[in-house]
Amino acid sequence: MIHARAINHIGIAVPNIDAQREFYEKTLGAKFEGCETVADQKVKVGFFLLGPEGAQVRLELLEPTAPDSPIAKYLEKNPHGGLHHVAYTVDDIQKRLDDLKASGLRLIDETPRPGAHHTQIAFLHPKSSHGVLTELCQPKKA
Ligand code: ZN
């Protein structure tokens, strides 16, 4: 079991973060937190925060930085962008991955890799999560 503590963020693939900022800021009323490049995944990530203190949801807009980025491949099939993944907050991510693998689930990442905001992340295979690309995300230890 993953023992997900919360939805950490929702990942949305976009061709261009700057072109979509207005929708997220002005239409949805989200707060733009800035961008970060995650070299390992060949993406630029833009963060938007929604909702009241203590019950906030973060949206992660993902823009490819290279033609072989996983997001570039997604955009080939969905040129306008779209919902890419849901990320759940977990503790002890390596143990979660080991447990999932032992239970027969397919994983994209058998060991965690670096995510934005100094997190550790890993993706489950969409075939093992009913078509929804699922990310486990372990926040930076305080
Ligand atoms: Zn993510």
Side-chain angles (χ1 to χ4, degrees), residues 29 50 59 70 72 80 87 117 128:
L50 270 173
L59 304 174
H80 302 292
H117 287 158
S128 283

Side-chain angles (χ1 to χ4, degrees), residues 62-131:
L62 304 151
E63 176 186 322
T65 58
D68 61 340
S69 161
I71 299 302
K73 289 182 191 120
Y74 179 93
L75 291 173
E76 279 171 24
K77 289 181 210 146
N78 308 276
H80 302 292
L83 184 60
H84 185 259
H85 65 269
V86 178
Y88 299 95
T89 304
V90 299
D91 297 313
D92 209 354
I93 189 167
Q94 184 63 67
K95 181 173 184 336
R96 302 295 170 219
L97 293 172
D98 292 344
D99 288 352
L100 292 172
K101 193 181 172 199
S103 74
L105 245 78
R106 286 174 68 187
L107 305 174
I108 292 176
D109 301 303
E110 296 193 358
T111 53
R113 50 193 164 120
H117 287 158
H118 306 285
T119 53
Q120 297 215 75
I121 65 166
F123 286 95
L124 313 188
H125 196 283
K127 290 216 165 95
S128 283
S129 44
H130 307 280

Side-chain angles (χ1 to χ4, degrees), residues 9 60 85 87 123 135:
H9 60 266
E60 185 184 270
H85 65 269
F123 286 95
E135 175 186 338

Side-chain angles (χ1 to χ4, degrees), residues 22-91:
E22 186 171 323
F23 172 76
Y24 288 95
E25 288 182 292
K26 302 241 164 72
T27 306
L28 285 180
K31 183 177 174 286
F32 178 64
E33 297 183 291
C35 288
E36 186 177 325
T37 298
V38 181
D40 182 59
Q41 293 177 71
K42 298 177 182 167
V43 289
K44 179 179 162 189
V45 190
F47 300 97
F48 294 82
L49 206 56
L50 270 173
E53 193 80 41
Q56 288 169 316
V57 176
R58 180 169 279 124
L59 304 174
E60 185 184 270
L61 266 57
L62 304 151
E63 176 186 322
T65 58
D68 61 340
S69 161
I71 299 302
K73 289 182 191 120
Y74 179 93
L75 291 173
E76 279 171 24
K77 289 181 210 146
N78 308 276
H80 302 292
L83 184 60
H84 185 259
H85 65 269
V86 178
Y88 299 95
T89 304
V90 299
D91 297 313

